[in-house]
C-alpha cells in the first residue's frame, strides 16, 4: 500500500519536473533572440515537409498560441483587393509553433496577429532557401505603433488610403491639419509606404518608415535631395581657366526622381554649393520634366565640387528674388522660350521681353521648351530694341549664343538679327561669294558715313551644316576681331570683309526667326523665315572666352547632361 502511494507520488513529481523542464526550455529559446528580435531557431514544428517553420512568443517569453500566421507574396497589393492564397494562412499551435509546406516563389513577408491582445509581428524580405533545408524563423509579437505623416500639399479633408506592398497593411485615412495618421502598425521597417488620395494624387516614401512599438512617430520628409558632380570637367570639357558667375542649367526628368510627389506638394527648391546657397530659377516644368538655372560664383577648371539641389515642404520660394541675379555678369538678354507661345521672358531682368507671332511650342527643345518656326511666318520681336543695349556700336564687344535645329537647307534662313544692314545670323543656301551652304554672321559698319558700309562675315563649309540636329552657334565679337564657334569648336576667327553700297541702318528692331533680306526687297521675306527650332538665345556685352563657350555647350547639350547627377 505504501509502495503504491509512493509510486503515484513519484509519477506526479516526474510529470511536474518534465513540464517545468519544457517551460524552461521554451524560456531559454525565447531569451536567445538578436537585438532585432530575429534569430535562427533550433527546433520547429516537424509536421510534413515544411519549407518554413518557426516559433512565435510574446516579449515575456510565453508562447504566442493560436495566433493567425500569414505568408504574403512580395508582389501582393492589398489596395487591389487581391485574395490571399488559403495555403499561405495558418495558425500557431499551443507552443507558438507554425510551419508551411510551401512558400511564395518570388519572396514574401511573414505576418502574425493576435486578435486578443492586438500584438503583431511582421518580417519583410524573406525568401525560400536554395537547398532542401527549412527556413527557420523566431518572432516576438509586440504592441503596435503609429505614424503621423506630413502631407501639407494635400487639402485638409482629403481622403484616401495607405498601404504597404507585400503586406496586408491597408488603412483608410484622411488628411487632418496637414497630416495623415495611421495606427495599428506592426513594429518593423515598412517599405515602401504609400498614400493614395481619392483624387488620384499620391505620396510615396520609398525608403520606408520605421515603426516603434507603443509610439507614434512624426515623418516630415524632404521630398527631393539630389547631388550633381562637376568631376568630368577636366576630361570631357577641358576648361583652360576658371569661370566667374557662370549661369548653369540643371535638368531633371522622371528617370531622376519620382516627380509625382511634387504635383500636389507646396514648397521650394534650393541649390547649395560648398555650403553656400545659390540663386535659383525654375524656368520650365511640365510636371515630369524640370529645368533649373543657377549661377556658379566660380566654375573651376579642375572642379571636383558637388552641387546639391533640394526640395522642402512649406518653405518660401526664392525664385522671384534670385532670378535676375543668374544672368547678371555682362548679359544683355537671355531668352529661354519656356513660357509658352504667348510671351517670352528676358531672364536677365533687363526687360527685353519678346512678342511671339505664329510660332508653336516644340516638344523637341535643347533646354526646357522652345519655339518651332514653320519657314513661312513665325517670329519673335523685341519691341524696345530700336535703341539701347541691343543697338551695338560698330566695334563694340558682344557675344551671341543660340541653339538651332535647321529642318531644311533648300532656302536661306535667318536665326536672328537687327536689320539686314546692321547685324544678323543666318543660314545662307546659295551665293557666289561667300560660298553656298554656310552659317553666315554679318555685321555692318560705316566707313565714311557717305552710304558706304563694310560687311564682316564668318562662315564655314557645307559639310558642317546639318539638318534635323541640334547645333550650338556662338559669335564672339571683340574690338577688332570676330570668332565663330559651332558646338564647342572654333570654325573661324578670320572673317572676310567686303564693301556694300547699302548704308548701315541702326533703328531696326531685334527679331528672332525672320529678316527682310535683302533690304530693298520686302517681298523676299518669306524666303528667309527660319524653318526649324530655335532655343536658348543669350546676348552679352562682353567677348566670351573659349572656355566659357565650351562650358556652355557641355552644360546645355541636349544629348548629354552635365554636371552629372549622382545616383544614391
Amino acid at each position: 500500500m505504501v509502495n503504491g502511494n509512493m509510486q503515484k507520488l513519484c509519477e506526479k513529481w516526474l510529470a511536474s519536473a518534465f513540464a517545468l523542464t519544457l517551460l524552461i526550455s521554451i524560456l531559454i529559446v525565447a531569451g536567445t533572440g538578436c537585438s532585432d528580435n530575429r534569430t535562427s531557431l533550433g527546433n520547429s514544428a516537424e509536421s510534413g515537409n515544411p519549407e518554413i517553420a518557426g516559433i512565435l512568443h510574446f516579449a515575456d517569453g510565453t508562447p504566442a498560441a493560436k495566433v493567425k500566421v500569414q505568408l504574403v507574396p512580395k508582389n501582393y497589393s492589398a489596395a487591389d483587393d487581391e485574395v490571399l492564397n488559403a495555403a499561405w494562412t495558418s495558425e500557431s499551435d499551443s507552443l507558438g509553433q507554425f510551419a508551411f509546406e510551401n512558400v511564395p516563389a518570388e519572396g514574401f513577408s511573414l505576418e502574425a496577429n493576435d486578435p486578443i491582445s492586438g500584438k503583431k509581428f511582421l518580417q519583410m524580405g524573406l525568401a525560400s532557401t536554395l537547398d532542401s533545408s527549412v527556413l527557420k524563423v523566431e518572432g516576438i509579437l509586440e504592441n503596435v505603433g503609429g505614424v503621423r505623416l506630413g502631407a501639407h500639399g494635400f487639402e485638409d479633408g482629403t481622403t484616401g488610403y495607405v498601404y504597404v506592398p507585400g503586406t496586408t497593411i491597408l488603412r483608410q485615412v484622411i488628411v487632418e491639419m496637414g497630416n495623415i495618421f495611421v495606427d495599428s502598425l506592426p513594429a518593423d521597417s515598412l517599405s515602401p509606404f504609400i498614400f493614395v488620395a481619392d483624387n488620384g494624387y499620391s505620396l510615396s516614401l520609398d525608403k520606408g518608415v520605421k515603426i516603434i512599438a507603443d509610439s507614434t512617430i512624426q515623418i516630415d520628409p524632404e521630398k527631393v535631395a539630389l547631388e550633381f558632380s562637376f568631376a568630368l570637367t577636366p576630361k570631357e570639357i577641358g576648361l583652360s581657366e576658371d569661370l566667374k558667375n557662370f549661369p548653369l542649367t540643371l535638368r531633371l526628368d522622371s528617370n531622376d526622381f519620382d516627380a509625382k510627389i511634387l504635383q500636389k506638394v507646396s514648397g521650394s527648391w534650393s541649390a547649395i554649393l560648398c555650403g553656400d546657397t545659390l540663386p535659383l530659377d525654375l524656368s520650365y516644368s511640365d510636371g515630369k520634366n524640370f529645368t533649373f538655372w543657377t549661377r556658379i560664383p566660380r566654375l573651376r577648371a579642375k572642379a571636383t565640387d558637388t552641387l546639391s539641389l533640394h526640395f522642402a515642404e512649406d518653405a518660401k520660394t526664392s525664385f522671384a528674388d534670385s532670378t535676375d541675379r543668374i544672368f547678371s555678369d555682362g548679359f544683355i538678354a537671355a531668352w529661354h522660350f519656356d513660357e509658352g507661345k504667348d510671351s517670352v521672358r528676358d531672364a536677365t531682368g533687363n526687360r527685353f521681353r519678346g512678342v511671339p507671332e505664329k510660332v508653336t511650342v516644340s516638344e523637341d527643345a535643347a533646354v526646357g521648351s522652345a519655339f518651332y518656326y514653320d519657314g513661312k511666318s513665325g517670329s519673335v520681336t523685341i519691341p524696345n530694341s530700336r535703341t539701347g543695349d541691343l543697338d551695338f556700336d560698330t566695334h563694340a564687344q558682344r557675344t551671341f549664343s543660340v541653339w538651332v535645329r535647321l529642318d531644311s537647307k533648300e532656302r536661306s534662313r535667318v536665326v536672328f538679327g537687327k536689320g539686314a544692314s546692321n547685324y544678323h545670323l543666318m543660314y545662307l543656301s546659295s551665293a557666289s561669294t561667300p560660298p553656298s551652304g554656310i552659317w553666315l554672321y554679318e555685321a555692318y559698319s560705316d566707313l565714311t558715313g557717305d552710304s558706304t558700309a563694310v560687311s564682316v562675315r564668318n562662315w564655314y563649309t557645307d559639310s558642317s551644316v546639318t539638318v534635323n540636329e541640334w547645333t550650338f552657334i556662338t559669335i564672339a565679337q571683340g574690338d577688332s576681331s570676330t570668332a565663330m564657334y559651332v558646338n564647342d569648336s572654333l570654325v573661324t576667327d578670320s572673317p572676310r570683309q567686303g564693301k556694300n553700297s547699302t548704308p548701315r541702318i541702326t533703328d531696326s528692331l531685334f527679331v528672332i526667326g525672320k529678316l527682310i533680306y535683302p533690304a530693298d526687297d520686302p517681298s523676299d521675306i518669306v524666303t528667309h523665315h527660319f524653318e526649324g527650332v530655335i532655343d536658348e538665345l543669350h546676348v552679352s556685352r562682353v567677348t566670351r572666352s573659349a572656355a566659357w563657350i565650351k562650358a556652355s555647350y557641355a552644360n546645355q547639350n541636349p544629348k548629354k547632361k552635365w554636371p552629372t547627377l549622382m545616383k544614391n
Side-chain angles (χ1 to χ4, degrees), residues 10-170:
C10 288
E11 291 175 352
K12 184 176 181 180
W13 180 85
L14 288 172
S16 299
F18 176 78
L20 179 61
T21 300
L22 179 61
L23 178 59
I24 291 174
S25 298
I26 293 175
L27 291 176
I28 290 175
V29 170
T32 59
C34 300
S35 59
D36 62 353
N37 298 329
R38 314 281 190 265
T39 186
S40 299
L41 189 68
N43 62 337
S44 61
E46 297 298 338
S47 59
N49 185 25
E51 285 195 46
I52 180 174
I55 187 169
L56 301 171
H57 52 85
F58 298 107
D60 61 1
T62 58
K66 306 298 181 182
V67 303
K68 185 178 181 180
V69 185
Q70 291 178 296
L71 305 183
V72 185
K74 180 181 179 180
N75 57 7
Y76 174 83
S77 173
D80 294 333
D81 297 324
E82 294 184 32
V83 178
L84 196 63
N85 191 328
W88 296 330
T89 299
S90 183
E91 184 179 83
S92 64
D93 62 17
S94 59
L95 298 179
Q97 298 179 108
F98 67 92
F100 289 90
E101 294 186 2
N102 61 78
V103 300
E106 66 273 25
F108 59 96
S109 300
L110 174 65
E111 295 184 7
N113 177 31
D114 179 22
I116 298 176
S117 66
K119 298 179 186 294
K120 297 181 179 182
F121 167 78
L122 169 66
Q123 185 172 357
M124 302 181 68
L126 294 172
S128 61
T129 58
L130 298 178
D131 51 29
S132 59
S133 61
V134 179
L135 178 64
K136 300 176 181 180
V137 179
E138 176 190 4
I140 299 177
L141 276 69
E142 298 181 87
N143 290 335
V144 295
V147 60
R148 186 180 292 106
L149 176 63
H152 309 299
F154 296 83
E155 295 181 0
D156 282 354
T158 299
T159 56
Y161 59 88
V162 165
Y163 77 107
V164 179
T167 75
T168 62
I169 296 173
L170 177 66

Side-chain angles (χ1 to χ4, degrees), residues 101-395:
E101 294 186 2
N102 61 78
V103 300
E106 66 273 25
F108 59 96
S109 300
L110 174 65
E111 295 184 7
N113 177 31
D114 179 22
I116 298 176
S117 66
K119 298 179 186 294
K120 297 181 179 182
F121 167 78
L122 169 66
Q123 185 172 357
M124 302 181 68
L126 294 172
S128 61
T129 58
L130 298 178
D131 51 29
S132 59
S133 61
V134 179
L135 178 64
K136 300 176 181 180
V137 179
E138 176 190 4
I140 299 177
L141 276 69
E142 298 181 87
N143 290 335
V144 295
V147 60
R148 186 180 292 106
L149 176 63
H152 309 299
F154 296 83
E155 295 181 0
D156 282 354
T158 299
T159 56
Y161 59 88
V162 165
Y163 77 107
V164 179
T167 75
T168 62
I169 296 173
L170 177 66
R171 304 281 191 277
Q172 298 297 319
V173 294
I174 184 171
V175 178
E176 298 179 290
M177 299 182 66
N179 290 280
I180 300 167
F181 178 71
V182 189
D183 60 3
S184 302
L185 297 172
D188 194 66
S189 292
L190 309 180
S191 177
F193 192 85
I194 303 173
F195 166 62
V196 179
D198 292 337
N199 58 18
Y201 293 106
S202 63
L203 179 61
S204 177
L205 301 182
D206 294 332
K207 293 185 178 181
V209 175
K210 176 66 176 178
I211 304 300
I212 302 174
D214 297 315
S215 299
T216 298
I217 60 172
Q218 178 72 44
I219 302 293
D220 287 304
E222 184 176 66
K223 300 305 173 187
V224 179
L226 303 169
E227 292 188 339
F228 297 82
S229 172
F230 293 92
L232 295 180
T233 301
K235 179 179 178 181
E236 296 192 5
I237 302 175
L239 296 184
S240 58
E241 62 184 63
D242 291 358
L243 303 175
K244 294 182 179 180
N245 297 326
F246 183 79
L248 189 87
T249 186
L250 302 169
R251 290 162 288 171
L252 302 174
D253 57 40
S254 56
N255 294 322
D256 300 321
F257 73 105
D258 185 1
K260 292 187 294 183
I261 64 178
L262 303 180
Q263 293 177 357
K264 232 1 194 176
V265 179
S266 60
S268 75
W269 291 89
S270 61
I272 299 174
L273 178 65
C274 301
D276 296 326
T277 300
L278 307 178
L280 189 68
D281 178 28
L282 176 60
S283 67
Y284 175 78
S285 171
D286 61 4
K288 298 180 180 179
N289 301 279
F290 300 81
T291 299
F292 298 89
W293 286 91
T294 187
R295 186 188 67 195
I296 307 300
R298 181 181 294 274
L299 180 60
R300 295 184 292 169
K302 296 183 179 180
T304 57
D305 299 327
T306 298
L307 185 149
S308 299
L309 190 63
H310 301 267
F311 180 85
E313 285 188 11
D314 290 339
K316 181 181 178 182
T317 179
S318 59
F319 293 157
D321 300 331
S322 66
T323 299
D324 297 347
R325 294 190 285 123
I326 295 172
F327 291 87
S328 60
D329 189 16
F331 283 95
I332 295 174
W335 298 293
H336 299 313
F337 309 110
D338 288 344
E339 298 77 32
K341 66 182 180 64
D342 296 325
S343 64
V344 175
R345 177 175 68 96
D346 175 13
T348 67
N350 291 332
R351 300 182 180 180
F352 284 115
R353 64 178 183 83
V355 179
E357 180 181 6
K358 297 181 180 179
V359 295
T360 57
V361 176
S362 173
E363 295 181 357
D364 178 15
V367 180
S369 66
F371 282 159
Y372 174 76
Y373 302 77
D374 63 6
K376 299 177 180 179
S377 58
S379 65
V380 175
T381 302
I382 312 302
N384 58 332
S385 58
R386 293 188 186 274
T387 60
D389 287 345
L390 289 173
D391 185 26
F392 294 101
D393 293 336
T394 301
H395 295 294

Side-chain angles (χ1 to χ4, degrees), residues 391-432:
D391 185 26
F392 294 101
D393 293 336
T394 301
H395 295 294
Q397 292 187 9
R398 71 195 79 170
T399 302
F400 301 96
S401 66
V402 63
W403 285 91
V404 295
R405 194 202 71 198
L406 185 67
D407 284 359
S408 172
K409 296 170 63 175
E410 295 179 0
R411 293 182 176 180
S412 298
R413 305 291 180 184
V414 171
V415 181
F416 63 81
K418 193 177 186 297
S421 58
N422 192 342
Y423 63 83
H424 51 263
L425 172 68
M426 65 185 297
Y427 165 74
L428 188 64
S429 64
S430 63
S432 57

